[in-house]
Amino acid sequence: MPVRAAGAESGTGAPRSPAQAMEELEHTCPQPRMTLTAPAPFADETSCQCQAPHEKLTIAQARLGTPADRPVRVYADGIFDLFHAGHARALMQAKTLFPNSYLLVGVCSDDLTHKFKGFTVMNETERYEALRHCRYVDEVIRDAPWTLTPEFLEKHKIDFVAHDDIPYSSAGSDDVYKHIKEAGMFVPTQRTEGISTSDIITRIVRDYDVYARRNLQRGYTAKELNVSFISEKKYRFQNHVDKMKEKVKNVEEKSKEFVYKVEEKSHDLIQKWEEKSREFIGNFLELFGPDGAWKQMFQERSGRMLQAFSPRQSPNSSPTRGRSPSRSPSPPWVINKASPPSSPKAASASLSSMSEGDEDEK
């Protein structure tokens, strides 16, 4: 909001009092970001131009909450190389220290970092941009000082400095935040164990061959990776071997899958065959078994044939049965085989008797 002069007139045309002008000045402090659709601004682009007196706050006052037009300005600094979750969690703690806070993050330049700490993986521009896109950051200060001076704190109207409580020895000092702690402006945060920039670099160095082979495979040259001609050939050969292993592994997996499908289908076929065989055996037994339909049909047909070949007996009232109860006489041509003639004379006598009998019948 633009700042008006103390004697400027209001919309009604009447001159304003100095108290009204001071009240208008109190609303010029940058407010925390309410939206995350844009990156955080740089401090040299939108610095705090508030002309209202910036009274010193105590930690107790800041924790009770400040007016909306007077956010607590919290400062956190660092190198932020290979920006990771540990950095983000530290900034989250700094942002949530007080109910109404405005987080400024200072990032040291390459020259200052290489002088006091060592070489970085990311350059300063990359590190600035990484901080701008963190959701907890309201403002980024480029080329931040290694040791915080009263002039720097006054320029950016910093109320408190947030950092982990472990003494940070550097630049000939046992703790570069010692004077901040003595002034009552230091608020500690907690480090995230198990992750740091040094841990990530250690992993890269430990697995250097793996990453070098991967980048060669992705199109990087040996010169870009700073590897020798022999190492390049070795890495490329290892990549070729890994590809062959991967192909063999894929073939084995496909073979296992094929065998599994064949076994599954054969199991289904065997199961279907068993079901059909049981059905066939059941039908066979039902047809040809001891009590099967074929036996019943055979018995019925054999009974009919016996009835057809053996005539029925005459009834009791028939004339033949009334004539003589004895057995019907045999025909004259039937020879009694059970008692053959004992001599030729007996045979001739029997024949003569048969002829006499015939004459009598005539």
Side-chain angles (χ1 to χ4, degrees):
M1 180 177 179
V3 180
R4 298 183 182 181
E9 296 190 0
S10 62
T12 60
R16 296 192 309 275
S17 64
Q20 290 175 336
M22 184 60 68
E23 182 181 356
E24 198 169 294
L25 290 174
E26 291 176 357
H27 295 276
T28 60
C29 291
Q31 298 299 309
R33 287 198 300 162
M34 302 302 295
T35 178
L36 299 177
T37 57
F42 289 117
D44 51 3
E45 295 175 354
T46 57
S47 59
C48 182
Q49 301 295 333
C50 182
Q51 297 181 8
H54 196 77
E55 297 179 357
K56 184 176 179 60
L57 294 172
T58 64
I59 294 178
Q61 290 173 338
R63 286 178 176 167
L64 287 175
T66 56
D69 60 342
R70 171 59 168 96
V72 181
R73 294 174 67 83
V74 180
Y75 176 79
D77 59 357
I79 310 303
F80 301 106
D81 191 20
L82 297 175
F83 189 78
H84 52 74
H87 294 142
R89 288 178 63 86
L91 297 176
M92 178 187 69
Q93 294 178 60
K95 176 69 175 177
T96 57
L97 285 171
F98 308 109
N100 181 25
S101 61
Y102 185 87
L103 180 60
L104 302 93
V105 179
V107 184
C108 300
S109 64
D110 286 345
D111 293 338
L112 203 61
T113 304
H114 298 168
K115 178 181 178 181
F116 291 108
K117 190 168 185 178
F119 191 73
T120 58
V121 178
M122 301 169 64
N123 59 44
E124 58 185 28
T125 303
E126 294 169 338
R127 294 185 284 115
Y128 297 154
E129 289 297 322
L131 267 297
R132 291 186 70 195
H133 293 84
C134 178
R135 63 185 299 180
Y136 309 112
V137 179
D138 294 305
E139 189 174 305
V140 176
I141 301 176
R142 292 181 285 195
D143 193 13
W146 197 260
T147 302
L148 302 179
T149 62
E151 294 78 16
F152 179 82
L153 298 175
E154 179 63 27
K155 176 183 177 180
H156 296 281
K157 294 181 171 56
I158 295 171
D159 293 309
F160 300 101
V161 177
H163 199 272
D164 61 80
D165 202 14
I166 301 174
Y168 194 84
S169 58
S170 179
S173 175
D174 295 335
D175 189 1
V176 295
Y177 297 103
K178 182 179 180 180
H179 63 290
I180 303 295
K181 295 175 181 178
E182 292 174 351
M185 298 175 63
F186 186 85
V187 184
T189 58
Q190 299 295 324
R191 291 178 63 90
T192 301
E193 298 296 333
I195 183 169
S196 67
T197 302
S198 299
D199 293 338
I200 296 174
I201 294 175
T202 301
R203 277 186 250 163
I204 296 172
V205 173
R206 182 190 61 197
D207 301 326
Y208 172 76
D209 289 348
V210 177
Y211 298 122
R213 288 167 50 192
R214 183 188 67 177
N215 287 352
L216 280 173
Q217 191 174 3
R218 290 182 177 181
Y220 288 87
T221 63
K223 184 177 180 181
E224 290 173 332
L225 295 175
N226 195 26
V227 297
S228 64
F229 176 80
I230 297 176
S231 297
E232 179 190 6
K233 297 303 178 185
K234 181 183 72 173
Y235 293 149
R236 293 193 184 280
F237 177 75
Q238 289 174 344
N239 287 335
H240 183 70
V241 172
D242 289 344
K243 287 182 179 179
M244 294 299 295
K245 288 181 180 179
E246 188 68 22
K247 288 182 180 179
V248 172
K249 183 179 179 181
N250 292 335
V251 171
E252 290 179 353
E253 291 178 354
K254 290 181 179 179
S255 301
K256 290 179 181 178
E257 185 178 357
F258 176 75
V259 171
Y260 175 76
K261 289 182 178 179
V262 170
E263 290 178 351
E264 188 176 9
K265 289 184 178 180
S266 62
H267 179 72
D268 293 340
L269 290 173
I270 292 172
Q271 188 175 3
K272 290 180 180 179
W273 182 84
E274 289 178 351
E275 292 176 357
K276 292 294 182 182
S277 62
R278 291 194 193 98
E279 184 179 356
F280 176 78
I281 293 171
N283 294 335
F284 183 85
L285 292 176
E286 185 178 355
L287 185 62
F288 298 102
D291 298 326
W294 180 260
K295 182 178 180 180
Q296 295 177 1
M297 182 177 65
F298 180 77
Q299 290 177 351
E300 291 177 358
R301 290 186 178 181
S302 61
R304 290 175 184 175
M305 292 177 67
L306 290 174
Q307 290 178 1
F309 286 117
S310 59
R312 296 179 181 178
Q313 295 180 357
S314 300
N316 295 329
S317 59
S318 61
T320 56
R321 288 188 179 268
R323 182 183 303 172
S324 175
S326 62
R327 188 176 55 184
S328 59
S330 299
W333 59 83
V334 176
I335 300 174
N336 191 356
K337 293 182 179 179
S339 57
S342 57
S343 63
K345 292 181 180 181
S348 60
S350 62
L351 287 175
S352 62
S353 64
M354 289 175 62
S355 60
E356 290 177 357
D358 289 338
E359 290 176 357
D360 292 336
E361 288 180 1
K362 290 178 182 181

